[in-house]
Amino acid sequence: MENIQIDNLEAMCDVLFRTAAEGQIVTNKKGEVLIVNPKAEALFGYTSDEFKALKIEDLVPQKHRHGHEGRRGDFAKDPRPRSMGKGMDLTALAKDGSEFPVEIGLSHFVFDGEFLIMCLVSDISERKASQQKIIELNLELEQRVEKRTNQLRESQLLHSMIARHYPNGTINV
């Protein structure tokens, strides 16, 4: 990353917004997208101008859209920084129609007398893929343990049968 000389607070805020690792989307109470940072553009595939024609619900997969406006209204009534979807697997909808797993943080602020909502969006595809790989490896390990346990049982059974049939003798192989 280039060295950026910052000489005032406004410039610093701009740099923080443009270089953030999370997508940042600012909406009004109606859910209309006002501004986005470059990371949000990259995550969703929309340009800044295309975002301005969207509502936040346009970024929510159709199967989860119902009730989103109501939840947005609830947030406006009791605004406090929070994570969305505690204990849920959230997904977002990209311009190309693909869905990707996300974590979303909400915050709010007032600018020029208008209540605004900031959504911080993190793509967690890599983490989800790693978690899935761990699940698959655990399943494979459990299957191997079960197979080996069955082999040991068979071996014990064989040794037990031999010991019963030759109680006083020796077996040489």
Side-chain angles (χ1 to χ4, degrees), residues 6-30:
I6 301 172
D7 56 6
N8 64 50
L9 184 59
E10 187 176 316
M12 182 177 68
C13 290
D14 182 57
V15 167
L16 292 172
F17 187 73
R18 284 187 294 111
T19 61
E22 294 85 18
Q24 296 181 7
I25 303 170
V26 177
T27 71
N28 59 19
K29 271 185 169 179
K30 296 183 246 173

Side-chain angles (χ1 to χ4, degrees), residues 28-45:
N28 59 19
K29 271 185 169 179
K30 296 183 246 173
E32 298 166 331
V33 176
L34 303 176
I35 57 173
V36 297
N37 70 345
K39 183 63 178 188
E41 292 175 15
L43 285 174
F44 289 93

Side-chain angles (χ1 to χ4, degrees), residues 66-134:
H66 68 283
H68 191 269
E69 284 187 38
R71 289 189 293 277
R72 184 168 33 84
D74 291 344
F75 179 79
K77 289 176 192 166
D78 182 22
R80 63 193 186 309
R82 67 176 182 90
S83 296
M84 278 184 61
K86 288 268 189 202
M88 296 172 57
D89 286 333
L90 299 179
T91 56
L93 183 64
K95 179 181 177 179
D96 67 5
S98 65
E99 293 182 26
F100 58 99
V102 293
E103 282 184 348
I104 298 175
L106 295 178
S107 190
H108 73 285
F109 59 98
V110 176
F111 179 76
D112 246 359
E114 184 176 14
F115 178 87
L116 301 176
I117 301 167
M118 176 176 273
C119 307
L120 299 174
V121 182
S122 297
D123 180 346
I124 58 170
S125 297
E126 287 182 24
R127 181 183 340 144
K128 287 292 196 179
S130 295
Q131 289 171 340
Q132 184 59 39
K133 184 69 174 169
I134 289 170

